[in-house]
Amino acid sequence: MALKIARRGQIPPFIVMDVLRAANERAAAGEDVLHLEIGQPCTGAPQGVIAAAKRALDGDLLGYTDAFGILPLRQRLAGHYRDQYGVAADPARIVATPGSSGGFILAFLAAFEPGDRVALAAPGYPAYRNILIALDIEPVEIPAGPETGYQPTPELLEKAREQGRIDGLIVASPANPTGTMLTPDALRDLAVYCHDEGIRLISDEIYHGIEYEQQATTALTYSDSAVVVNSFSKYFSMTGWRLGWLVLPEDLLRPVECLGQNLFINASTLAQHAACGAFDCREELDLNVERYRLNRDILLDALPKAGLTELSRADGAFYVYADVARHTNDSAEFCRRLLAETGVAITPGMDFDPLRGNRFVRLSFAGSTESVEDAAARIARFMR
């Protein structure tokens, strides 16, 4: 007799990982690949992180920590909010998590019941939608376009509420896949609207620090009820260390603590000790951001010349979201052909917007400048 497979595990794939697998298979066959599909810095952790990790390996048992993480890390994070944003964040409200992914799971479980409806902009990071589905929480995708910077607004939320209640809203600024950012006023308006309407705001701030025209604003500036999610993966260049954090409102502290104790026990102890050194490495990390800026400018100059003229603003993060509708109505096939014919790996928009993503692709410029220049030239030849 066939055994049952749980419905919650039958969620859509994270397509970018499928693209990465195809690119790696091409590389394993001896063909060259330029990786513009994956949102991962090409640099490793900064030297201060490596040094802190070595000290921990030499001098610490690396046993369990409190579910919320080691106090020195939470204190450094509180200092980060004070220094970067002028915001007081009590270390008691900060939680070290197994990556931002673990943070989202904890936040969603603590804040929402099965059957609750959580709004998010489309296009948006696909794992939001898929984690919600796996937890029996209904994602309510709000189609957003360039007129709002692909970001939600109170007006779009009002329109979504005509179809049913909204219990939560996920915002990301800078956003994946577009790189667009909310202005401080726009974030304030969303935060105030959500607080007044009893909607739990989840603010994804994992690309903070990677900005080009204006500094990102934290939701903590405007809301005591919002949940902030962040990670050491992007600006701090620590993807494989799998360490993130939450800043929680008071009412979610004990629920998240109990969930964390039972689901994860604690985030990686070694990664926590290592991350304490990350905040002393800003000069090194800001050089990475300058490289991203140069890479962004290369693509924003080259892609329109190649015929891809409708591009997201790319205010921050390391992505450009490009409309390819003038050339194809099948972005997945477009990406397959581009990889097969040029070795350039990019991601089809279906990952980020199931309804309109067939018209879009995402390009990541987190790699080396040489690889981005080479990729731009190959794309230009492909488009002729």
Side-chain angles (χ1 to χ4, degrees):
M1 185 168 78
L3 297 177
K4 180 174 69 176
I5 299 175
R7 177 175 53 84
R8 67 177 57 88
Q10 299 177 37
I11 58 175
F14 193 0
I15 297 173
V16 68
M17 303 310 293
D18 290 344
V19 176
L20 177 61
R21 184 182 66 241
N24 288 339
E25 289 172 352
R26 175 185 168 92
E31 302 288 338
D32 69 330
V33 175
L34 297 175
H35 290 281
L36 275 67
E37 82 283 27
I38 195 76
Q40 174 171 263
C42 67
T43 49
Q47 289 304 306
V49 168
I50 302 300
K54 289 178 178 177
R55 288 194 298 271
L57 285 169
D58 289 339
D60 194 280
L61 292 176
L62 299 180
Y64 295 133
T65 74
D66 289 346
F68 276 9
I70 61 173
L71 183 58
L73 175 61
R74 292 155 62 200
Q75 290 172 330
R76 293 303 303 262
L77 284 164
H80 167 74
Y81 281 97
R82 180 191 63 242
D83 297 341
Q84 293 298 115
Y85 306 101
V87 170
D90 186 341
R93 293 175 52 200
I94 299 174
V95 182
T97 62
S100 63
S101 300
F104 283 117
I105 292 169
L106 291 170
F108 294 166
L109 283 170
F112 306 119
E113 298 283 1
D116 278 357
R117 304 176 79 243
V118 175
L120 57 156
Y125 179 53
Y128 302 147
R129 178 177 67 246
N130 295 337
I131 293 172
L132 290 170
I133 292 170
L135 298 177
D136 289 324
I137 301 165
E138 181 182 351
V140 179
E141 298 197 85
I142 299 175
E147 65 279 358
T148 66
Y150 297 99
Q151 293 281 1
T153 64
E155 293 75 22
L156 289 174
L157 269 175
E158 279 290 324
K159 186 175 181 180
R161 293 175 77 189
E162 294 173 1
Q163 308 302 315
R165 77 180 191 281
I166 298 295
D167 300 290
L169 171 68
I170 305 169
V171 298
S173 175
N176 177 9
T178 60
T180 62
M181 289 171 58
L182 291 161
T183 66
D185 287 348
L187 179 59
R188 181 201 61 215
D189 291 347
L190 278 171
V192 170
Y193 178 89
C194 288
H195 184 80
D196 290 348
E197 298 296 325
I199 297 170
R200 181 73 73 176
L201 177 63
I202 311 290
S203 181
D204 178 354
E205 302 181 359
I206 72 170
Y207 292 100
H208 277 212
I210 307 175
E211 308 112 357
Y212 306 113
E213 273 69 53
Q214 65 175 27
Q215 182 180 338
T217 305
T218 177
L220 298 178
T221 304
Y222 306 114
S223 176
D224 291 327
S225 60
V227 175
V228 167
V229 186
N230 210 320
S231 170
F232 286 92
S233 290
K234 308 302 182 179
Y235 172 76
F236 293 102
S237 199
M238 294 174 62
T239 51
W241 297 75
R242 307 311 305 134
L243 184 65
W245 74 87
L246 297 172
V247 186
L248 295 172
E250 292 287 343
D251 62 336
L252 293 183
L253 286 173
R254 185 57 175 165
V256 167
E257 184 174 27
C258 292
L259 286 163
Q261 289 169 342
N262 285 281
L263 291 179
F264 304 118
I265 301 181
N266 60 268
S268 163
T269 304
L270 176 61
Q272 290 185 59
H273 284 285
C276 290
F279 303 96
D280 301 318
C281 302
R282 293 201 173 275
E283 183 175 351
E284 181 181 349
L285 294 167
D286 287 343
L287 288 176
N288 294 342
V289 177
E290 287 307 305
R291 185 181 74 256
Y292 304 149
R293 182 194 301 274
L294 176 58
N295 293 353
R296 178 196 68 156
D297 292 346
I298 290 168
L299 288 181
L300 293 182
D301 177 65
L303 293 177
K305 294 176 182 177
L308 300 177
T309 57
E310 302 296 323
L311 308 173
S312 61
R313 292 198 310 256
D315 304 315
F318 32 59
Y319 306 114
V320 172
Y321 199 56
D323 189 334
V324 294
R326 290 174 51 195
H327 309 279
T328 182
N329 196 41
D330 186 348
S331 60
E333 177 60 22
F334 180 90
C335 292
R336 281 192 292 269
R337 285 185 50 227
L338 183 68
L339 178 61
E341 297 178 25
T342 73
V344 177
I346 63 175
T347 305
M350 294 301 294
D351 220 6
F352 313 102
D353 187 344
L355 293 179
R356 301 172 299 168
N358 60 300
R359 297 175 42 214
F360 291 86
V361 298
R362 187 195 74 174
L363 300 91
S364 169
F365 50 85
S368 69
T369 298
E370 293 75 15
S371 68
V372 171
E373 289 177 327
D374 193 355
R378 296 188 194 192
I379 291 169
R381 291 194 294 271
F382 176 81
M383 298 297 294
R384 286 180 190 147

